[in-house]
Amino acid sequence: MAAPPDALGPPETLIACPECDALYRAADVPHGERATCARCHTVLISPRRHAGMAIIALALAALILVLGALWFPFLRIDARGLWQEATLWDVATSFAGGPLLVVSVAVTAAIVVVPLLRAMLILYTLVPVVFDRPPAAQATRAFRWSERLRPWSMAEIFAIGCAVSLVKIADLAQVSLGPAFWMFAGLVVVTVAQDALVDRWSVWRSISRT
Ligand SMILES: [Zn+2]
């Protein structure tokens, strides 16, 4: 049950449940254990040893996968002896200049720019902290943006959309998926793993300690 902040102590020691807004006084949680919300069971604090290194590795993997997915062929269509290969870059720039320019800019942002930006913001925030250096000058701003961009990273929706439309045109032509499709599938897994590993409370506490 939430109590008035005065009863809980100074505001910097408080933690609010992101799901139901219940307010708690944060305590030091031992590594490997987790603190959950008593009302809705959302995980509030879950410090893990070596998680920082794993998150950095996953962010680097996400960077490589997004850049690779841009340049490798995404799919290949065969029909009556003719074939055509398309990369994501081709798809994103095919509308350039036309009335669908806005659509192509939005799609490129959601599937390429946002995941790329989030990986870079997380590296900027966490690399100094994990290597026991003082936090980067704009670390709090960078981490806040990385959290804000989280709902806008839509690589998985793009991958599912492509799979659905490929099933539909499979009757008309032979469609094969290129390396970029599998890189996107990998990106989805990497993003989920990374979001599960990031203990927001620990990150905030380590970067706001100046
Ligand atoms: Zn809750």
Side-chain angles (χ1 to χ4, degrees):
M1 198 56 197
D6 312 351
L8 286 161
E12 58 270 20
T13 63
L14 299 181
I15 181 169
C17 172
E19 293 298 324
C20 72
D21 292 337
L23 207 54
Y24 299 95
R25 182 145 62 156
D28 273 322
V29 178
H31 281 278
E33 288 178 25
R34 42 173 49 183
T36 55
C37 175
R39 202 192 297 175
C40 70
H41 307 295
T42 303
V43 176
L44 300 176
I45 306 176
S46 61
R48 287 184 197 84
R49 227 181 279 277
H50 311 304
M53 223 30 151
I55 295 163
I56 289 174
L58 289 169
L60 282 174
L63 268 182
I64 293 165
L65 287 172
V66 174
L67 291 176
L70 267 181
W71 302 112
F72 284 102
F74 191 79
L75 54 85
R76 176 191 161 116
I77 296 173
D78 287 276
R80 300 191 194 91
L82 298 171
W83 61 271
Q84 177 88 47
E85 266 181 349
T87 64
L88 272 184
W89 187 251
D90 296 334
V91 175
T93 53
S94 59
F95 299 122
L100 288 172
L101 178 66
V102 181
V103 176
S104 84
V105 169
V107 168
T108 316
I111 63 176
V112 178
V113 180
V114 173
L116 210 57
L117 209 59
R118 279 202 70 209
M120 290 193 290
L121 289 170
I122 284 181
L123 289 175
Y124 177 81
T125 310
L126 286 187
V127 167
V129 171
V130 170
F131 289 97
D132 288 325
R133 298 276 157 79
Q138 300 290 328
T140 48
R141 188 176 287 177
F143 191 62
R144 190 173 298 129
W145 270 104
S146 141
E147 288 295 292
R148 258 186 213 162
L149 287 172
R150 197 143 61 107
W152 298 102
S153 185
M154 300 192 187
E156 66 275 29
I157 293 169
F158 182 73
I160 293 168
C162 286
V164 170
S165 51
L166 289 180
V167 169
K168 294 210 168 199
I169 58 170
D171 296 338
L172 308 170
Q174 201 199 333
V175 180
S176 31
L177 299 168
F181 178 86
W182 300 110
M183 287 179 153
F184 256 99
L187 178 66
V188 174
V189 175
V190 164
T191 309
V192 170
Q194 184 186 296
D195 282 337
L197 274 179
V198 173
D199 176 25
R200 284 156 189 95
W201 170 255
S202 305
V203 174
W204 277 121
R205 209 169 46 160
S206 57
I207 59 179
S208 47
R209 200 184 288 156
T210 42

